[in-house]
Amino acid sequence: MENTKFEAWNQPQQPEFKPENKKVVAGVLAILLGWLGVHKFILGYTTEGILLIVFSIVTCGIAGSIIGLIEGIIYLTKTDDEFYHTYQENKRGWF
């Protein structure tokens, strides 16, 4: 007689794909080094990172620091899923 009982513990499991979430790294770098645009480069936004460096040079670091502080706070207050979908999946470059 065959045992038809399903034994979940004995079945091969597929690992869940969990994409890399860069929320904390981008948020902290935005607050600390926002005027350099490092957080933009970490997220893959090269054009926005270069623009942030230019804004910082033109305004002696003031504009870049303010933008970095605001973006860092926004990044860190979003949930992991919101951050991933907004900034890593949909590639929203600013705020």
Side-chain angles (χ1 to χ4, degrees), residues 4 11 18 22 28 39 55 62 70 82 85 89 91:
T4 58
Q11 300 299 319
K18 198 165 192 176
K22 301 175 182 178
V28 171
H39 60 290
F55 292 155
I62 295 171
I70 292 169
E82 284 178 330
H85 290 297
E89 188 175 26
K91 297 288 186 184

Side-chain angles (χ1 to χ4, degrees), residues 49-66:
I50 292 170
L51 284 173
L52 198 52
I53 292 172
V54 170
F55 292 155
S56 293
I57 290 172
V58 171
T59 63
C60 297
I62 295 171
S65 296
I66 292 171

